[in-house]
PDB file of all heavy atoms in Angstrom:
ATOM      1  N   PRO A  15     -89.367 -46.705 230.028  1.00 85.00           N
ATOM      2  CA  PRO A  15     -88.936 -45.379 229.653  1.00 85.00           C
ATOM      3  C   PRO A  15     -88.311 -44.606 230.859  1.00 85.00           C
ATOM      4  O   PRO A  15     -87.503 -43.800 230.693  1.00 85.00           O
ATOM      5  CB  PRO A  15     -90.283 -44.667 229.278  1.00 85.00           C
ATOM      6  CG  PRO A  15     -91.334 -45.446 229.961  1.00 85.00           C
ATOM      7  CD  PRO A  15     -90.892 -46.814 229.933  1.00 85.00           C
ATOM      8  N   GLU A  28     -90.371 -42.829 248.185  1.00 88.00           N
ATOM      9  CA  GLU A  28     -91.704 -42.873 247.684  1.00 88.00           C
ATOM     10  C   GLU A  28     -91.723 -42.401 246.155  1.00 88.00           C
ATOM     11  O   GLU A  28     -92.456 -42.969 245.363  1.00 88.00           O
ATOM     12  CB  GLU A  28     -92.594 -42.072 248.583  1.00 88.00           C
ATOM     13  CG  GLU A  28     -94.150 -42.084 248.025  1.00 88.00           C
ATOM     14  CD  GLU A  28     -94.989 -41.238 248.864  1.00 88.00           C
ATOM     15  OE1 GLU A  28     -94.593 -40.551 249.866  1.00 88.00           O
ATOM     16  OE2 GLU A  28     -96.246 -41.127 248.520  1.00 88.00           O
ATOM     17  N   ASP A  45    -104.349 -45.409 231.626  1.00 84.00           N
ATOM     18  CA  ASP A  45    -104.476 -43.925 231.707  1.00 84.00           C
ATOM     19  C   ASP A  45    -104.006 -43.502 233.123  1.00 84.00           C
ATOM     20  O   ASP A  45    -104.768 -43.810 234.077  1.00 84.00           O
ATOM     21  CB  ASP A  45    -105.892 -43.507 231.460  1.00 84.00           C
ATOM     22  CG  ASP A  45    -105.990 -41.978 231.398  1.00 84.00           C
ATOM     23  OD1 ASP A  45    -105.032 -41.282 231.378  1.00 84.00           O
ATOM     24  OD2 ASP A  45    -107.168 -41.533 231.277  1.00 84.00           O
ATOM     25  N   ASN A  66    -105.679 -45.823 245.633  1.00 89.00           N
ATOM     26  CA  ASN A  66    -106.118 -46.467 244.372  1.00 89.00           C
ATOM     27  C   ASN A  66    -104.876 -46.986 243.619  1.00 89.00           C
ATOM     28  O   ASN A  66    -104.983 -48.029 243.019  1.00 89.00           O
ATOM     29  CB  ASN A  66    -106.768 -45.305 243.497  1.00 89.00           C
ATOM     30  CG  ASN A  66    -107.446 -45.869 242.320  1.00 89.00           C
ATOM     31  OD1 ASN A  66    -107.551 -47.073 242.169  1.00 89.00           O
ATOM     32  ND2 ASN A  66    -107.857 -44.916 241.397  1.00 89.00           N
ATOM     33  N   LEU A  77    -101.728 -61.235 241.241  1.00 82.00           N
ATOM     34  CA  LEU A  77    -102.047 -61.998 240.058  1.00 82.00           C
ATOM     35  C   LEU A  77    -100.845 -62.798 239.623  1.00 82.00           C
ATOM     36  O   LEU A  77    -100.927 -63.919 239.184  1.00 82.00           O
ATOM     37  CB  LEU A  77    -102.429 -61.084 238.903  1.00 82.00           C
ATOM     38  CG  LEU A  77    -102.873 -61.673 237.593  1.00 82.00           C
ATOM     39  CD1 LEU A  77    -104.086 -62.564 237.740  1.00 82.00           C
ATOM     40  CD2 LEU A  77    -103.128 -60.629 236.583  1.00 82.00           C
ATOM     41  N   LEU A 103     -90.937 -54.775 241.929  1.00 90.00           N
ATOM     42  CA  LEU A 103     -90.618 -54.270 240.668  1.00 90.00           C
ATOM     43  C   LEU A 103     -90.242 -55.460 239.758  1.00 90.00           C
ATOM     44  O   LEU A 103     -90.472 -55.413 238.568  1.00 90.00           O
ATOM     45  CB  LEU A 103     -89.490 -53.265 240.787  1.00 90.00           C
ATOM     46  CG  LEU A 103     -89.737 -51.992 241.385  1.00 90.00           C
ATOM     47  CD1 LEU A 103     -88.580 -50.957 241.395  1.00 90.00           C
ATOM     48  CD2 LEU A 103     -91.025 -51.255 240.679  1.00 90.00           C
ATOM     49  N   HIS A 132    -108.349 -63.594 204.461  1.00 83.00           N
ATOM     50  CA  HIS A 132    -108.392 -62.830 203.149  1.00 83.00           C
ATOM     51  C   HIS A 132    -107.999 -63.735 201.964  1.00 83.00           C
ATOM     52  O   HIS A 132    -108.595 -63.637 200.944  1.00 83.00           O
ATOM     53  CB  HIS A 132    -107.493 -61.606 203.174  1.00 83.00           C
ATOM     54  CG  HIS A 132    -107.902 -60.502 204.173  1.00 83.00           C
ATOM     55  ND1 HIS A 132    -109.171 -59.858 203.876  1.00 83.00           N
ATOM     56  CD2 HIS A 132    -107.430 -59.934 205.243  1.00 83.00           C
ATOM     57  CE1 HIS A 132    -109.332 -58.953 204.788  1.00 83.00           C
ATOM     58  NE2 HIS A 132    -108.284 -59.048 205.653  1.00 83.00           N
ATOM     59  N   SER A 192    -105.401 -74.753 128.576  1.00 75.00           N
ATOM     60  CA  SER A 192    -105.385 -74.976 127.162  1.00 75.00           C
ATOM     61  C   SER A 192    -105.168 -73.625 126.457  1.00 75.00           C
ATOM     62  O   SER A 192    -104.458 -73.521 125.485  1.00 75.00           O
ATOM     63  CB  SER A 192    -106.716 -75.630 126.714  1.00 75.00           C
ATOM     64  OG  SER A 192    -107.832 -74.784 127.006  1.00 75.00           O
ATOM     65  N   ALA A 209     -88.249 -62.518 114.102  1.00 71.00           N
ATOM     66  CA  ALA A 209     -86.891 -62.821 113.585  1.00 71.00           C
ATOM     67  C   ALA A 209     -86.716 -62.770 112.103  1.00 71.00           C
ATOM     68  O   ALA A 209     -85.722 -62.304 111.545  1.00 71.00           O
ATOM     69  CB  ALA A 209     -86.511 -64.220 114.230  1.00 71.00           C
ATOM     70  N   LEU A 231     -71.191 -41.681  85.874  1.00 69.00           N
ATOM     71  CA  LEU A 231     -71.783 -40.815  84.802  1.00 69.00           C
ATOM     72  C   LEU A 231     -71.570 -39.325  85.111  1.00 69.00           C
ATOM     73  O   LEU A 231     -71.358 -38.537  84.224  1.00 69.00           O
ATOM     74  CB  LEU A 231     -73.249 -41.122  84.690  1.00 69.00           C
ATOM     75  CG  LEU A 231     -73.580 -42.523  84.061  1.00 69.00           C
ATOM     76  CD1 LEU A 231     -75.133 -42.776  84.187  1.00 69.00           C
ATOM     77  CD2 LEU A 231     -73.116 -42.602  82.649  1.00 69.00           C
ATOM     78  N   TYR A 238     -66.988 -34.298  79.699  1.00 66.00           N
ATOM     79  CA  TYR A 238     -67.552 -33.675  78.439  1.00 66.00           C
ATOM     80  C   TYR A 238     -67.840 -32.161  78.590  1.00 66.00           C
ATOM     81  O   TYR A 238     -67.627 -31.409  77.577  1.00 66.00           O
ATOM     82  CB  TYR A 238     -68.959 -34.364  78.197  1.00 66.00           C
ATOM     83  CG  TYR A 238     -68.902 -35.774  77.591  1.00 66.00           C
ATOM     84  CD1 TYR A 238     -69.557 -36.803  77.985  1.00 66.00           C
ATOM     85  CD2 TYR A 238     -67.970 -36.031  76.534  1.00 66.00           C
ATOM     86  CE1 TYR A 238     -69.501 -38.031  77.372  1.00 66.00           C
ATOM     87  CE2 TYR A 238     -67.808 -37.203  75.969  1.00 66.00           C
ATOM     88  CZ  TYR A 238     -68.652 -38.243  76.437  1.00 66.00           C
ATOM     89  OH  TYR A 238     -68.515 -39.489  75.812  1.00 66.00           O
ATOM     90  N   TYR A 245     -63.613 -26.672  73.233  1.00 62.00           N
ATOM     91  CA  TYR A 245     -64.073 -26.530  71.862  1.00 62.00           C
ATOM     92  C   TYR A 245     -64.645 -25.077  71.634  1.00 62.00           C
ATOM     93  O   TYR A 245     -64.433 -24.457  70.561  1.00 62.00           O
ATOM     94  CB  TYR A 245     -65.124 -27.512  71.471  1.00 62.00           C
ATOM     95  CG  TYR A 245     -64.603 -28.982  71.403  1.00 62.00           C
ATOM     96  CD1 TYR A 245     -65.413 -30.104  71.555  1.00 62.00           C
ATOM     97  CD2 TYR A 245     -63.305 -29.208  71.010  1.00 62.00           C
ATOM     98  CE1 TYR A 245     -64.872 -31.379  71.544  1.00 62.00           C
ATOM     99  CE2 TYR A 245     -62.795 -30.430  70.856  1.00 62.00           C
ATOM    100  CZ  TYR A 245     -63.604 -31.546  71.099  1.00 62.00           C
ATOM    101  OH  TYR A 245     -63.133 -32.760  70.974  1.00 62.00           O
ATOM    102  N   THR A 287     -52.411 -18.980  49.535  1.00 81.00           N
ATOM    103  CA  THR A 287     -52.016 -19.851  50.635  1.00 81.00           C
ATOM    104  C   THR A 287     -52.921 -19.549  51.823  1.00 81.00           C
ATOM    105  O   THR A 287     -53.349 -20.440  52.584  1.00 81.00           O
ATOM    106  CB  THR A 287     -50.564 -19.571  50.974  1.00 81.00           C
ATOM    107  OG1 THR A 287     -49.745 -19.842  49.826  1.00 81.00           O
ATOM    108  CG2 THR A 287     -50.079 -20.455  52.096  1.00 81.00           C
ATOM    109  N   ALA A 300     -65.635 -26.641  61.398  1.00 79.00           N
ATOM    110  CA  ALA A 300     -66.879 -27.314  61.190  1.00 79.00           C
ATOM    111  C   ALA A 300     -66.821 -28.730  61.792  1.00 79.00           C
ATOM    112  O   ALA A 300     -67.814 -29.129  62.453  1.00 79.00           O
ATOM    113  CB  ALA A 300     -67.170 -27.458  59.671  1.00 79.00           C
ATOM    114  N   THR A 304     -69.084 -30.156  64.722  1.00 82.00           N
ATOM    115  CA  THR A 304     -69.800 -31.436  64.654  1.00 82.00           C
ATOM    116  C   THR A 304     -69.562 -32.375  65.899  1.00 82.00           C
ATOM    117  O   THR A 304     -70.397 -32.923  66.414  1.00 82.00           O
ATOM    118  CB  THR A 304     -69.497 -32.160  63.342  1.00 82.00           C
ATOM    119  OG1 THR A 304     -69.733 -31.382  62.194  1.00 82.00           O
ATOM    120  CG2 THR A 304     -70.214 -33.404  63.206  1.00 82.00           C
ATOM    121  N   GLU A 314     -76.350 -34.765  76.631  1.00 78.00           N
ATOM    122  CA  GLU A 314     -77.777 -34.715  76.998  1.00 78.00           C
ATOM    123  C   GLU A 314     -78.452 -35.978  77.224  1.00 78.00           C
ATOM    124  O   GLU A 314     -79.176 -36.200  78.207  1.00 78.00           O
ATOM    125  CB  GLU A 314     -78.424 -33.969  75.863  1.00 78.00           C
ATOM    126  CG  GLU A 314     -78.204 -32.425  75.794  1.00 78.00           C
ATOM    127  CD  GLU A 314     -78.743 -31.679  76.949  1.00 78.00           C
ATOM    128  OE1 GLU A 314     -79.733 -32.196  77.559  1.00 78.00           O
ATOM    129  OE2 GLU A 314     -78.096 -30.672  77.251  1.00 78.00           O
ATOM    130  N   THR A 337     -91.561 -50.059 102.199  1.00 78.00           N
ATOM    131  CA  THR A 337     -91.426 -51.561 102.719  1.00 78.00           C
ATOM    132  C   THR A 337     -90.846 -51.516 104.166  1.00 78.00           C
ATOM    133  O   THR A 337     -91.282 -52.348 104.962  1.00 78.00           O
ATOM    134  CB  THR A 337     -90.582 -52.334 101.741  1.00 78.00           C
ATOM    135  OG1 THR A 337     -91.057 -52.180 100.473  1.00 78.00           O
ATOM    136  CG2 THR A 337     -90.502 -53.814 102.219  1.00 78.00           C
ATOM    137  N   LEU A 363    -102.330 -66.314 134.494  1.00 79.00           N
ATOM    138  CA  LEU A 363    -101.624 -66.937 135.657  1.00 79.00           C
ATOM    139  C   LEU A 363    -102.095 -66.406 136.931  1.00 79.00           C
ATOM    140  O   LEU A 363    -102.266 -67.203 137.873  1.00 79.00           O
ATOM    141  CB  LEU A 363    -100.048 -66.590 135.495  1.00 79.00           C
ATOM    142  CG  LEU A 363     -99.429 -67.319 134.334  1.00 79.00           C
ATOM    143  CD1 LEU A 363     -97.932 -66.845 134.153  1.00 79.00           C
ATOM    144  CD2 LEU A 363     -99.463 -68.867 134.481  1.00 79.00           C
ATOM    145  N   ILE A 366    -105.361 -67.921 137.567  1.00 74.00           N
ATOM    146  CA  ILE A 366    -105.234 -69.337 138.010  1.00 74.00           C
ATOM    147  C   ILE A 366    -104.756 -69.448 139.476  1.00 74.00           C
ATOM    148  O   ILE A 366    -105.250 -70.247 140.254  1.00 74.00           O
ATOM    149  CB  ILE A 366    -104.204 -70.021 137.068  1.00 74.00           C
ATOM    150  CG1 ILE A 366    -104.830 -70.228 135.588  1.00 74.00           C
ATOM    151  CG2 ILE A 366    -103.761 -71.381 137.654  1.00 74.00           C
ATOM    152  CD1 ILE A 366    -103.795 -70.673 134.654  1.00 74.00           C
ATOM    153  N   LYS A 385    -115.310 -81.458 159.945  1.00 71.00           N
ATOM    154  CA  LYS A 385    -114.766 -81.734 161.247  1.00 71.00           C
ATOM    155  C   LYS A 385    -115.828 -81.155 162.270  1.00 71.00           C
ATOM    156  O   LYS A 385    -116.133 -81.984 163.330  1.00 71.00           O
ATOM    157  CB  LYS A 385    -113.477 -80.993 161.503  1.00 71.00           C
ATOM    158  CG  LYS A 385    -112.369 -81.707 160.736  1.00 71.00           C
ATOM    159  CD  LYS A 385    -111.039 -80.939 160.990  1.00 71.00           C
ATOM    160  CE  LYS A 385    -109.888 -81.549 160.203  1.00 71.00           C
ATOM    161  NZ  LYS A 385    -108.634 -80.803 160.390  1.00 71.00           N
TER     162      LYS A 385
END
Side-chain angles (χ1 to χ4, degrees):
E28 182 183 357
D45 186 8
N66 192 12
L77 182 66
L103 293 179
H132 287 300
S192 61
L231 290 173
Y238 283 135
Y245 290 153
T287 303
T304 304
E314 289 295 332
T337 305
L363 290 175
I366 289 170
K385 288 179 181 178

